[in-house]
Amino acid sequence: MAKIALIVGSVYGGAQYVAEQAQSLLAGLGYEVMLYEEPVLDEVLAFDAKVWLVITSTTGQGDIPDNLLPFYLEVKNRFPLLNGKQFAVIALGDSSYETYCGAGEQLQELLAEIQGTELAPMLRIDACETLEPETLALPWLEQQFKNS
Ligand SMILES: Cc1cc2nc3c(=O)[nH]c(=O)nc-3n(C[C@H](O)[C@H](O)[C@H](O)COP(=O)(O)O)c2cc1C
């Protein structure tokens, strides 16, 4: 069974809720999914997933949520090479901010720098347009993961 490490960044629970729904969906598609709410690099590496899936909101001015920031900094400092391992990012944001989806962008750039292969271009979900981000995230995930 292919493994997915689902790494979440959330302040008010929106991205967290999407991640929980995503976990159920992906488990239903036959994946073994580990959800990391306080991700620690060594734990994620030890799980040895085929795919790293990041679902994160943006806070402050383009900032990474507090629960995800230590993981981001650890990856940046230790630079573990993914060697072609796949990743995907779903970014929740609000287009009224100049730094729209800034946290998702920072994660996307970093995972590409450590030589991950992006499964699909980052999905941005705009809180100005969508009150229920899971209604966009789940069909997108199903499309990316049903045959991969
Ligand atoms: C204080 C605050 C700062 C925010 N800053 C940004 C930002 O810089 N860029 C952005 O795209 N969205 C920003 N947002 C919007 C959130 O990312 C968006 O509402 C998201 O859906 C919240 O998800 P969460 O409940 O998982 O934290 C901000 C929201 C708040 C309340």
Side-chain angles (χ1 to χ4, degrees), residues 10-15 57-62 92-94 97 99-101 127:
S10 184
V11 179
Y12 299 103
S57 65
T58 294
T59 189
Q61 296 292 331
L92 276 65
D94 182 326
Y97 288 84
T99 46
Y100 179 48
C101 290

Side-chain angles (χ1 to χ4, degrees), residues 20-77:
E20 286 163 8
Q21 300 291 307
Q23 183 178 27
S24 302
L25 173 88
L26 295 168
L29 292 175
Y31 292 90
E32 184 183 348
V33 186
M34 189 71 83
L35 177 60
Y36 295 93
E37 297 169 20
E38 301 286 338
V40 172
L41 180 56
D42 279 331
E43 290 175 12
V44 174
L45 290 174
F47 184 54
D48 196 24
K50 177 184 173 195
V51 184
W52 287 14
L53 171 61
V54 176
I55 301 181
T56 185
S57 65
T58 294
T59 189
Q61 296 292 331
D63 299 330
I64 296 169
D66 281 350
N67 74 300
L68 181 56
L69 187 59
F71 177 81
Y72 173 84
L73 294 174
E74 220 187 342
V75 172
K76 216 173 163 58
N77 289 333

Side-chain angles (χ1 to χ4, degrees), residues 67 110 143 148:
N67 74 300
L110 181 58
Q143 195 174 1
S148 80

Side-chain angles (χ1 to χ4, degrees), residues 122-143:
M122 183 167 81
L123 174 67
R124 292 173 174 79
I125 302 180
D126 186 356
C128 284
E129 292 183 352
T130 312
L131 286 176
E132 294 172 342
E134 66 279 7
T135 59
L136 294 180
L138 296 181
W140 186 85
L141 285 168
E142 186 157 18
Q143 195 174 1

